[in-house]
Amino acid sequence: MLPFISAMKPHRTELYQDVPSTCWPIVYSPDYNITFMGLEKLHPFDAGKWGKVIDFLKEEKLVVDDLIVQAREATEDDLLVVHTRRYLNKLKAGKLAVDRGWAINVGGGFHHCSSDKGGGFCAYADITLAIKFLFERVQGVSKATIIDLDAHQGNGHERDFMDDSRVYIMDAYNRYIYPGDGFAKRAIKRKVELEWGTEDTEYLQKVQTHVEGALNELKPDIIVYNAGTDILDGDPLGGLAISPQGIVKRDEVVFKAARSRRIPILMVTSGGYQKRTARIIADSILNLHNLGLIDKELATSGVENPKVEQMLRNSVADLSKLSLQ
């Protein structure tokens, strides 16, 4: 069970300081990248991929250091909003998504960690913490949808929100791999269990159908999108066969669904165990920007770009017309 906090006065926190409007709502810290005397090279998790994503975005002239939101370390009081004991943490971008219409935490998505234990490379429950902070601190945020498209079941946040009617969970994952948490599956409102080697066409059709269905079933005040790249063909842990173009298109489908409904969306990058995933994440962010789905000035009050508005009307509902270029 999560600590009971709804009736308590919110504690003082430094996580949600105002962010200058000149900054992209992209959260990052060099501390996201983990090194330990070279031993990280022996582990399947690319501990430096988040820094590589930012480097690629800099090469493409999308961002510079001064325009990125610097992550802040959470205090023990911050973490006790969710955890029953202390874990290391970074700034959560949920409020930034609400304020600006979207945000991307280049890192995060530790969806196997629940409030009382870690698991699967996940040491702290950042998805749960982001949502709990928004419920506690941001007026008008009372419903959240988690769209978890990592290759693995997101059993951590599922256990945390098992009996919380405010949180709707959609989870699409390889049914045969870790964690296989039958108890946690009871929290999933829209469950999409995938077969070994699922490829682009089937996968994107299912993502389109179920993302649209989830958001039509309940319109939330915030979407937390867990955009794992371990669905990539050849990933040693994911067991699926999605192309780089398929991953870019998947993210596009989710952002179009959110933007067409004017729902704020927070994206976290989660799993991905190949060296090329950093380039794919960067390419996806660039694609979202090129389509006008993310921008420094984009707000939830409306789609200011007429080209984007027309694109959303024409393409959100029909995946068969979306080309994989």
Side-chain angles (χ1 to χ4, degrees), residues 248-280:
V248 171
K249 188 60 65 177
R250 175 202 65 174
D251 295 348
E252 180 183 321
V253 166
V254 175
F255 269 77
K256 282 180 177 177
R259 296 306 306 164
S260 67
R261 293 168 172 81
R262 295 175 173 82
I263 303 171
I265 181 169
L266 165 61
M267 172 176 160
V268 291
T269 58
S270 199
Y273 307 100
Q274 300 183 70
K275 297 298 183 183
R276 55 185 177 145
T277 58
R279 177 74 256 184
I280 295 168

Side-chain angles (χ1 to χ4, degrees), residues 65 74 142 169 202 216 231 279:
D65 286 335
S142 61
I169 298 174
E202 177 186 354
N216 288 338
I231 64 171
R279 177 74 256 184

Side-chain angles (χ1 to χ4, degrees), residues 83-297:
H83 286 296
T84 52
R85 58 183 181 274
R86 184 171 184 168
Y87 291 92
L88 295 177
N89 206 353
K90 297 290 184 288
L91 170 70
K92 300 300 167 281
K95 186 174 184 296
L96 193 56
V98 173
D99 290 343
R100 304 283 288 278
W102 68 277
I104 297 172
N105 189 356
V106 182
F110 302 116
H111 63 158
H112 298 307
C113 183
S114 62
S115 60
D116 58 356
K117 66 178 182 178
F121 308 154
C122 301
Y124 51 91
D126 61 331
I127 292 174
T128 299
L129 181 58
I131 292 172
K132 295 294 287 186
F133 260 62
L134 289 173
F135 285 168
E136 178 187 276
R137 294 179 172 275
V138 180
Q139 186 175 5
V141 178
S142 61
K143 295 177 295 182
T145 290
I146 299 170
I147 298 176
D148 194 333
L149 300 185
D150 187 271
H152 300 81
Q153 176 199 353
N155 61 319
H157 58 72
E158 289 160 9
R159 284 177 171 264
D160 282 342
F161 293 118
M162 177 68 67
D163 300 313
D164 195 330
S165 62
R166 300 172 298 175
V167 180
Y168 183 107
I169 298 174
M170 171 191 161
D171 198 348
Y173 54 88
N174 184 335
R175 67 195 308 164
Y176 300 108
I177 61 175
Y178 177 89
D181 190 334
F183 176 78
K185 289 180 184 180
R186 293 165 48 191
I188 304 173
K189 300 296 193 301
R190 189 169 285 262
K191 179 170 58 178
V192 186
E193 295 192 318
L194 303 170
E195 299 294 324
W196 285 105
T198 297
E199 297 181 347
D200 286 17
T201 300
E202 177 186 354
Y203 179 77
L204 289 170
Q205 287 173 344
K206 287 184 175 180
V207 168
Q208 175 81 15
T209 297
H210 289 287
V211 167
E212 290 288 324
L215 297 179
N216 288 338
E217 189 171 336
L218 174 71
K219 183 177 180 181
D221 302 309
I222 182 72
I223 296 168
V224 178
Y225 171 37
N226 198 41
T229 50
D230 52 0
I231 64 171
L232 181 64
D233 187 20
D235 190 280
L237 300 181
L240 303 177
I242 310 304
S243 71
Q245 296 87 352
I247 292 174
V248 171
K249 188 60 65 177
R250 175 202 65 174
D251 295 348
E252 180 183 321
V253 166
V254 175
F255 269 77
K256 282 180 177 177
R259 296 306 306 164
S260 67
R261 293 168 172 81
R262 295 175 173 82
I263 303 171
I265 181 169
L266 165 61
M267 172 176 160
V268 291
T269 58
S270 199
Y273 307 100
Q274 300 183 70
K275 297 298 183 183
R276 55 185 177 145
T277 58
R279 177 74 256 184
I280 295 168
I281 294 168
D283 286 344
S284 180
I285 294 172
L286 291 166
N287 180 62
L288 295 174
H289 177 250
N290 291 338
L291 291 173
L293 292 168
I294 63 173
D295 194 271
K296 279 193 294 184
E297 289 78 29

Side-chain angles (χ1 to χ4, degrees), residues 48-108:
K49 75 175 182 179
W50 298 300
K52 295 172 188 174
V53 172
I54 294 298
D55 288 343
F56 287 135
L57 294 178
K58 289 178 181 178
E59 288 175 8
E60 298 294 337
K61 311 299 183 185
L62 182 67
V63 300
V64 295
D65 286 335
D66 291 343
L67 299 183
I68 298 171
V69 179
Q70 292 295 313
R72 291 177 177 271
E73 185 171 359
T75 66
E76 183 171 0
D77 285 342
D78 293 327
L79 294 178
L80 289 175
V81 168
V82 170
H83 286 296
T84 52
R85 58 183 181 274
R86 184 171 184 168
Y87 291 92
L88 295 177
N89 206 353
K90 297 290 184 288
L91 170 70
K92 300 300 167 281
K95 186 174 184 296
L96 193 56
V98 173
D99 290 343
R100 304 283 288 278
W102 68 277
I104 297 172
N105 189 356
V106 182

